[in-house]
Amino acid sequence: MDLRALEAPPTDVERAAIDAVLGPAPEAPSGSWLSAKARRHLLLPALHAAQGRVGFVSPGALGYICTRLEVPPAEGFGVASFYALFALAARPPAALHVCDDLACKVAGADSLIDDLTCRASPSDEHAWHRSPCLGLCEQAPAALYTRAGAPAVERAVGGLTLERALALLRTGESVTAPEPALPQLGEPGLRLLARAGRVDPTSLDDHRAHGGYRALRRALEIGPGGVLRELVESGLVGRGGALFPTGRKWEAVAKAPARPRYVVCNADESEPGTFKDRVLMEQDPFALVEAMTIAGLTVGAERGFIYLRAEYPLAAERLTHAIAQARARGLLGPTVMGREVAFEIEIRRGAGAYVCGEETALLASIEGYRGEPRSKPPFPVEVGLFGKPTVINNVETLCNVPFIVEHGAAAYRSVGTAGSPGTRLFCVSGRVERPGVYELPLGTPLGELIARAGGVKGGGAPAAVLLGGAAGSFVGRGSLDLRLSFEDTRHAGVTLGSGVVLVLDDSVPLEPLLARIAAFFRDESCGQCVPCRVGTVRQEELVTRLGKREPLGGLAGELALLRELGQVMRDASICGLGQTASSAVESAIERLGAFREGES
Amino acid sequence: MTVHLPLAPTRAVEVSIDGRPVSVPEGATLLDACRKLGIDVPTLCHAPNLTPMNVCRVCVVEVEGARTLVPSCSRKVEAGMVVKTDSERVRLARRLVMELLASSVDLSTAPEARAFVERYGARPERFGPATPAAAAGEREGRRAGQHREPPSGGAETVAQPVKIDNELFVRDYAKCLLCYKCVEACGADAQNTFAIAVAGRGFDARIATEFDVPLPESACVFCGNCIGVCPTGALMFHSEHVLRAAGQWDETEQTKTDTVCSYCGVGCVITLHTQRGQIVKATSPHDSEVTNGHLCIKGRFGWGYVRP
């Protein structure tokens, strides 16, 4: 391979920022393209470094990164242009990414954006953009503020007002990250949220004083076989939505002949309406570090990666700190708790791509490729990160593990239902009095969850609830008795998905939300397969026509076409994104009579 | 492309396709098994000389017990699989896939794809009339995740002006169905030049050089292997493009002559396409053991010296 490099050189600050990630450039070329190829996983970190320093990825910066990592420039460009948060043309150093997704829309983001359009003219210093869900739904309307420089500033902003947005853009005032509302703070019986808000998330001592790292000690006592036994018996299934038994996944990797093996934490929580993993990582970061360490020791992996969405700067900060603390205290590194077992964790940040929450896309993204999912089989337990056996679980799933290891499967199963043991985190947002993350036993009725969140704002009744996010489905006002367990939701033809419970009342018009969902899938499709790449565009066109009451032909024909399209996206798309892209829209048509009002 | 050498005898795997048993070697795909039975499964992004990308999804089949349809071009056979290639679900998926493609991509120089449109009774017009084409450079300027309001009243397409930045071949991305074949042929499957890659995301994903520089400024070595694998005529010899534009391209008047390239000692098989005594393009047979269908700049384009 004889690579042709981009001719433009990087500026000195770009070079320094990139070298800080890749190390200083060698005097002479390494001579071995294999050694450079093995470092391709540093592509995203290097792109982040360049963008964070000057606000965009210039041809000079991209060319330098590609030369250092021996990545063909066309491929490097293909990767950089895949992610929404990388700009490939010069832009102002400061940017406000204003969320206009579901929960923020319900909280008035549209009028805020209209006002911003009138009041905030673009300048050389700052710009603002619309953004898909930022995972701050309990603090809606929300935004993410970024300012390039040394150091780069990245802060989430909750409860955004026009005045706040204008002040941020004008003065770049220092932003303090909002702390989440923890509506269950101090309640007994919490497992995942037991420490949230009660411990100092930056203190390992405080963590240990509240029961932290007992599970790892126990895991070392009972050994990998013991951990796997408890995990299988606990009945824990993945909380990302696919419900795969976690114990079986770990067993498969533990038994896989190939080495090395990896543990990957999917912290790319991007499903609109979802913010539970953010709360876990911000409030109890050591729990995730401990859980991943248990996973590593159990399946025989010495390296773990946390793939964290870029929109979670506070989680990144706290996890980085937690990993460093754990390493300093011998809980990570060449010997874990003094035993002859090694485990290390690295954080990898996404760059704005919902599809990277799909496990194979996530692995491709870590490896330095476009976040394109691939066909399964083979599954990551056999062919995962860098082609090796890999345990990949999301944050909530992993955070269930310490409880199971410490207290045993029977204790774990003491709450929940027979088919859905344990508790679940629900992300309650929308028109409720107390939005936030709620941890409740699986099987809790939907009405009870909404009541726990203070009921509908102003004392009304829910008109509809979106369960599972944009990839989930709507249920109507008659579904308050629905028990939120895997079996009950499956029976009702809905999904808990990532735990989204977005509550709507009669004050919220439904159809603009459907248009937003259709737009979301169009924007987030990776573009690989035809059913999703073109199907999501056609779906948005159909939803737009139906919303304007301008069907081509007639309403019945358009609704039938939408159904057929949904069927084929579900049946023939490569990954879960296309397979679920029509779910919410179809459910709203079926259950809530969307698009029929005003038709004869 | 991985070349499998016959190192050890492979085991046979038996599967059932459309009610008929068939035995194929372990590691074979469902497409291989279908073809062994003589079942005609449509494909667009698949090529025998490239790694399967399974992105067009027109080859999907139904495997008993699977939640979704599976791409036959890449799914490996497993003992006992029960497969249907012509069920209602399969036909619906193939019809819709062709409707989605035909409503978004110009298939006028893609006879194979147009045949699938016919075969599955696809009616792309159901999605409405095509909305206006993008101006030159417009699609390249779109950023991942940045939303644009859908154009009203019809179906968005990838229509855009043809890119002519060299004298050897043109890139008419209005005809691109994003099968990834050109990227594979430019990369590790044949040429190892890596001049092009997929850039952007979603419907705006496109084949691009770094920062969309013209081909002569890129790493392109003009081997033309991308043209050789393009299933839609999006990548086309400049000579063919000119003749087509003049209304003079006529395949019924063309003859194909297999010969051996005279430039070097490799001995590549070349098929010369001639019309009215003039060479109009050069290809190489995909099943040629020497070329696997791939050529270099000289074999592909270096026939200007030949005079009748």
Side-chain angles (χ1 to χ4, degrees), chain A residues 372 522 541 564 571-572, chain B residues 57 89 126 147 156 180:
Chain A
E372 292 175 347
R522 178 213 171 107
E541 289 164 354
E564 268 188 23
D571 258 354
Chain B
R57 315 304 278 185
R89 262 175 97 189
R126 296 200 293 163
H147 191 68
E156 191 177 354
Y180 288 57

Side-chain angles (χ1 to χ4, degrees), chain A residues 479-563:
Chain A
S479 294
L480 294 179
D481 293 334
L482 175 68
R483 285 158 53 89
L484 300 175
S485 71
F486 302 126
E487 60 275 18
D488 288 285
T489 49
R490 190 182 310 124
H491 185 70
V494 297
T495 169
L496 291 180
S498 55
V500 172
V501 178
L502 177 73
V503 181
L504 309 178
D505 62 10
D506 288 318
S507 74
V508 183
L510 175 67
E511 291 175 12
L513 294 183
L514 302 182
R516 183 65 186 92
I517 290 171
F520 176 79
F521 283 110
R522 178 213 171 107
D523 294 346
E524 298 297 336
S525 168
C526 82
Q528 230 189 152
C529 71
V530 174
C532 178
R533 179 179 77 236
V534 190
T536 54
V537 171
R538 295 290 174 260
Q539 172 171 268
E540 191 193 11
E541 289 164 354
L542 273 157
V543 165
T544 306
R545 290 205 291 272
L546 291 168
K548 289 181 181 165
R549 301 298 185 268
E550 292 170 358
L552 290 170
L555 177 66
E558 293 273 75
L559 291 178
L561 184 57
L562 196 54
R563 245 191 327 272

